Amino acid sequence: MSSKVPSPDSIDALKSKMSVQKDTDKFFMSITEGEKKPFDFLRVLYDGCIAGGVAGVMVETALYPIDTIKTRLQVARDGGKIALKGLYTGLSGNLVGVLPASAIFIGVYEPTKQQLLRSLPENLSAVAHFAAGAIGGIASSLVRVPTEVVKQRMQIGQFRSAPDAVRLIVSNEGFKGLYAGYGSFLLRDLPFDAIELCIYEQLRIGYKLAAKRDPNDPENAMLGAVAGAITGAVTTPLDVVKTRLMVQGSQNHYKGISDCVRTIVKEEGTHALFKGIGPRVLWIGVGGSIFFCVLEKTKQILARNRHTKAEIQK
């Protein structure tokens, strides 16, 4: 038997091939976030809260008029006309709730997502994103529901200011009045949060695989718009039910979610469940674009600042 000694050229070629393969493997692992890195819970929580709060305030401020029109369309009955005045009514009071709600939502979502991605098989990344979105939604609902109730009551002209709205709602309906429609809110927002984040994260993973790089700001905005528009369209009936239950106050026109659906279909037809779908898809599509673009940019800035501080301290 004779042994063949490989030439230096062939050894270098083999090393080069192995290096390329190693880099490629590392790239694809980083795309699915399967690369094992130390998990700094507090850092991820902090970054998520800051990025989520900034993104939430930006979206709410930019798109509040469209949300107001959507709410008035959903409340109007029998072809009633809607007012186009005071489209920013209640914005300042709403931002007081939006900031902590968005911070809690992403602050809970990010560490939960990363923990689930470490625990689940790589091919179940969508499950991790879906579940983390739902958990983040539950955590933030304690702030989001009262904020939404006050906002929508002001949008349809029931109250002039957020403090007055809170005081009169509690006085007339009790503290539970601030959580009117809580069940329908969860029915709409838990699927919405889970679906939107799952679609966005999966689109982002697919884009990374195709482009072999991270999306830039316009591309993140595009992916967010697609995820938001799709999710907004399919959850419109849930949004209509949630809005009707939240704005009815003490009138009790609807006795619950199922009664609300039956009454709307009986009195106004099935098409009424899709009232406001145009403004909603536009609002959430553009909102998704702004939210995810600002979210990713803020996370990048935080990471860059942390890296800069670490370099200075060396």
Side-chain angles (χ1 to χ4, degrees):
M1 294 178 64
S2 64
S3 60
K4 188 175 180 180
V5 180
S7 67
D9 289 343
S10 64
I11 292 175
D12 290 341
L14 180 60
K15 286 182 178 179
S16 177
K17 183 177 180 181
M18 290 175 66
S19 176
V20 170
Q21 182 61 42
K22 185 177 180 181
D23 289 342
T24 303
D25 290 344
K26 185 176 181 181
F27 169 77
F28 283 108
M29 286 176 70
S30 67
I31 281 179
T32 57
E33 301 180 57
E35 201 172 7
K36 300 299 181 183
K37 297 178 182 178
F39 181 50
D40 188 341
F41 175 82
L42 291 179
R43 179 187 63 76
V44 175
L45 177 66
Y46 173 81
D47 286 1
C49 286
I50 297 298
V54 172
V57 168
M58 290 286 287
V59 171
E60 195 69 17
T61 303
L63 301 180
Y64 196 81
I66 299 176
D67 184 38
T68 299
I69 292 172
K70 183 263 311 179
T71 298
R72 292 174 181 177
L73 281 171
Q74 290 179 341
V75 174
R77 296 182 187 174
D78 301 325
K81 295 182 179 180
I82 64 167
L84 295 178
K85 294 181 179 180
L87 296 181
Y88 273 99
T89 300
L91 174 62
S92 58
N94 191 50
L95 291 181
V96 174
V98 167
L99 178 59
S102 299
I104 292 170
F105 177 49
I106 299 297
V108 171
Y109 170 76
E110 286 290 346
T112 304
K113 175 189 74 174
Q114 293 197 22
Q115 195 61 50
L116 288 172
L117 286 170
R118 294 179 185 318
S119 304
L120 295 172
E122 189 174 331
N123 62 347
L124 293 180
S125 63
V127 175
H129 297 139
F130 188 91
I135 292 170
I138 291 173
S140 66
S141 68
L142 296 177
V143 177
R144 288 166 73 182
V145 172
T147 301
E148 189 84 353
V149 169
V150 171
K151 177 188 75 174
Q152 293 192 334
R153 298 283 185 92
M154 292 183 67
Q155 284 176 332
I156 62 174
Q158 287 188 9
F159 306 106
R160 292 184 176 272
S161 69
D164 284 346
V166 173
R167 179 174 56 82
L168 291 172
I169 289 172
V170 172
S171 175
N172 296 332
E173 305 168 42
F175 186 75
K176 67 179 182 180
L178 292 173
Y179 286 88
Y182 185 74
S184 62
F185 182 90
L186 292 182
L187 178 67
R188 181 203 69 172
D189 276 56
L190 287 191
F192 179 90
D193 294 337
I195 293 169
E196 183 180 38
L197 283 164
C198 183
I199 291 175
Y200 171 73
E201 296 277 15
Q202 293 301 305
L203 286 173
R204 202 162 186 270
I205 289 173
Y207 194 92
K208 283 184 175 182
L209 285 168
K212 292 184 170 58
R213 61 174 175 79
D214 285 333
N216 56 33
D217 293 342
E219 290 163 348
N220 280 324
M222 176 192 67
L223 298 176
V226 173
I230 293 172
T231 311
V234 300
T235 57
T236 295
L238 300 178
D239 186 51
V240 171
V241 172
K242 184 269 313 178
T243 300
R244 293 290 183 91
L245 289 172
M246 280 188 168
V247 303
Q248 68 176 339
S250 57
Q251 297 176 6
N252 291 325
H253 185 71
Y254 309 109
K255 297 178 181 179
I257 296 172
S258 58
D259 178 63
C260 183
V261 174
R262 285 195 301 268
T263 303
I264 291 173
V265 172
K266 181 180 178 181
E267 294 181 355
E268 304 170 55
T270 306
H271 68 277
L273 291 172
F274 290 90
K275 277 188 174 182
I277 188 171
R280 178 171 167 79
V281 169
L282 173 64
W283 167 55
I284 296 177
V286 177
S289 174
I290 298 172
F291 183 85
F292 287 111
C293 182
V294 173
L295 181 72
E296 299 295 345
K297 192 64 177 179
T298 306
K299 289 195 292 184
Q300 289 172 15
I301 292 172
L302 291 171
R304 192 181 307 126
N305 290 344
R306 187 164 46 249
H307 178 72
T308 302
K309 289 180 181 178
E311 290 295 321
I312 293 174
Q313 292 172 357
K314 284 184 180 179

